[in-house]
């Protein structure tokens, strides 16, 4: 693991690191905030997955999480959203596909399958590195994210309920099978058989029997992607009749930006801290 930067913030450490990933076959960059309590003891880990076009830096610079994470004693890990490099497949004129748009899945189709193995990277490789390099209590993990990252957080939690104790999302893509900004990418990454897409769709996973205790979703009513890309009411419908608890909060005037995310960031951190202990 290479140290790219380290800065003191609220008594803790905000770092940016890189390493050579076996899952993606590329160098991957990620950010970690370590709270001051980790000097003396292992602390819970909260994963934040970013949205389309983002890197680790977007939430690190605009998410405003450090003060509350330091107060609550949470380690916050912010991975990149896709593999990167000159040899990595991409569509330069399509921001919904390729670099910055890994969708947190394992691609099966050429040329994407060679490097786009973000599900394995997030669920297996990077956690092993975090456990090795930081004073992290891997028995207390939560996960959240924004937009594409909210999709990633929810699907990963539903598929790994034994690992995660909490999951929340800001404006998540809850139903990629029908969302206008994911169908093209899913077909290119996973092929035309939509049955294979269900493994990475929160609504479909619930319909197919996956379970997670509870979710918190915050969504802005002024979000320009609300109707065609996000539609959180579809997940609300999917969990009806199950034992999954859902808190869906719809907010007047808020859009899809980090102004929205930073406004409710402390709520999410406190919500996770209560469940992580």
């Amino acid at each position: 693991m290479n140290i790219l930067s380290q800065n003191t913030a609220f008594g803790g450490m905000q770092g940016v690191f890189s390493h050579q990933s076996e899952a993606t076959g590329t160098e991957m960059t990620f950010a970690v905030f370590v709270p001051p309590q980790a000097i003396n003891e292992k602390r819970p880990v909260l994963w934040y997955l970013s949205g389309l076009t983002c890197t680790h830096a977007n939430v690190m610079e605009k998410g405003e999480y450090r003060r509350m994470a330091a107060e609550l004693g949470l380690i916050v890990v912010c991975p990149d959203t896709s593999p990167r490099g000159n040899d990595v497949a991409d569509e330069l004129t399509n921001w919904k596909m390729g670099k910055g748009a890994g969708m947190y899945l394992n691609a099966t189709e050429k040329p994407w399958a060679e490097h786009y193995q973000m599900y394995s990277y997030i669920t297996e490789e990077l956690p092993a590195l975090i456990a090795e390099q930081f004073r992290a209590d891997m028995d207390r993990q939560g996960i959240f994210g924004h937009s594409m990252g909210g999709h990633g957080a929810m699907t990963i939690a539903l598929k790994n309920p034994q690992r995660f104790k909490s999951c929340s999302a800001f404006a998540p893509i809850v139903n990629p099978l029908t969302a206008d900004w994911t169908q093209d990418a899913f077909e290119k990454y996973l092929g035309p058989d939509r049955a294979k897409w269900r493994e990475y769709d929160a609504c479909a996973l619930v319909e197919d029997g996956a379970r997670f205790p509870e979710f918190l979703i915050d969504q802005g009513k002024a979000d320009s992607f609300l109707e065609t890309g996000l539609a959180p009411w579809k997940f609300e419908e999917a969990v009806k009749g199950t034992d999954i608890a859902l808190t869906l909060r719809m907010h007047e005037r808020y859009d899809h930006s980090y102004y929205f995310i930073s406004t409710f960031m402390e709520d999410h951190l406190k919500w996770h801290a209560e469940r992580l202990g």
Side-chain angles (χ1 to χ4, degrees):
M1 187 178 76
N2 302 310
I3 300 172
L4 302 183
S5 66
Q6 287 183 313
N7 300 94
T8 301
F10 298 99
M13 183 276 296
Q14 176 65 69
V16 179
F17 309 91
S18 68
H19 72 117
Q20 188 64 32
S21 167
E22 293 184 6
T24 68
T26 66
E27 185 175 58
M28 295 295 291
T29 301
F30 62 97
V32 182
F33 176 73
V34 181
Q37 297 90 332
I39 294 172
N40 300 313
E41 62 182 1
K42 290 186 176 182
R43 300 304 303 170
V45 180
L46 185 56
W47 297 82
Y48 180 90
L49 306 185
S50 292
L52 286 163
T53 74
C54 292
T55 70
H56 69 279
N58 294 73
V59 68
M60 188 181 76
E61 295 171 356
K62 298 183 287 187
E64 300 182 22
Y65 58 82
R66 277 176 288 271
R67 183 187 66 81
M68 185 54 62
E71 182 178 319
L72 297 170
L74 296 172
I75 294 173
V76 181
V77 181
C78 308
D80 201 350
T81 54
S82 76
R84 298 182 191 272
N86 293 334
D87 297 330
V88 175
D90 194 18
E91 290 188 0
L92 296 177
T93 60
N94 184 4
W95 60 274
K96 302 174 185 177
M97 186 72 199
K99 295 177 187 177
M103 297 292 174
Y104 302 104
L105 50 73
N106 284 344
T108 58
E109 304 300 301
K110 294 181 179 180
W112 312 101
E114 182 178 359
H115 297 295
Y116 286 81
Q117 302 295 311
M118 288 300 294
Y119 180 81
S120 293
Y121 177 71
I122 296 294
T123 61
E124 298 172 14
E125 185 175 21
L126 189 54
L129 185 63
I130 296 299
E132 176 186 309
Q133 297 288 338
F134 298 91
R135 197 166 282 125
D137 185 348
M138 304 304 282
D139 291 328
R140 292 188 289 166
Q141 294 186 68
I143 189 166
F144 69 148
H146 170 232
S147 194
M148 179 185 71
H151 138 74
M154 292 173 69
T155 56
I156 288 171
L158 282 163
K159 293 165 70 172
N160 299 274
Q162 74 288 348
R163 175 176 296 184
F164 297 99
K165 296 184 179 297
S166 58
C167 180
S168 70
F170 302 99
I173 306 170
V174 300
N175 194 200
L177 274 74
T178 62
D180 63 349
W181 54 2
T182 49
Q183 293 181 67
D184 180 58
F186 268 45
E187 182 164 356
K188 290 175 181 176
Y189 285 142
L190 301 172
D193 183 0
R194 286 181 168 239
K196 297 178 181 178
W197 300 11
R198 298 181 69 84
E199 186 179 352
Y200 301 105
D201 182 299
C203 290
L205 284 167
V206 171
E207 291 168 2
D208 294 344
R211 294 293 180 265
F212 196 79
E214 60 180 330
F215 293 91
L216 167 64
I217 295 176
D218 276 314
Q219 173 66 60
K221 288 187 176 181
D223 191 321
S224 60
F225 304 109
L226 179 58
E227 295 291 335
T228 58
L230 305 172
W233 47 84
K234 293 184 178 180
F235 189 71
E236 188 175 37
E237 186 65 28
V239 302
K240 283 183 179 178
T242 73
D243 57 357
I244 298 173
L246 171 63
T247 301
L248 172 59
R249 307 192 303 185
M250 303 293 294
H251 302 279
E252 299 286 350
R253 304 191 309 279
Y254 284 95
D255 58 19
H256 201 68
S257 71
Y258 266 91
Y259 297 110
F260 158 63
I261 297 168
S262 62
T263 299
F264 299 102
M265 177 62 77
E266 289 195 2
D267 286 359
H268 283 244
L269 294 175
K270 290 176 181 177
W271 191 85
H272 284 278
E274 288 174 0
R275 286 148 184 82
L276 296 176

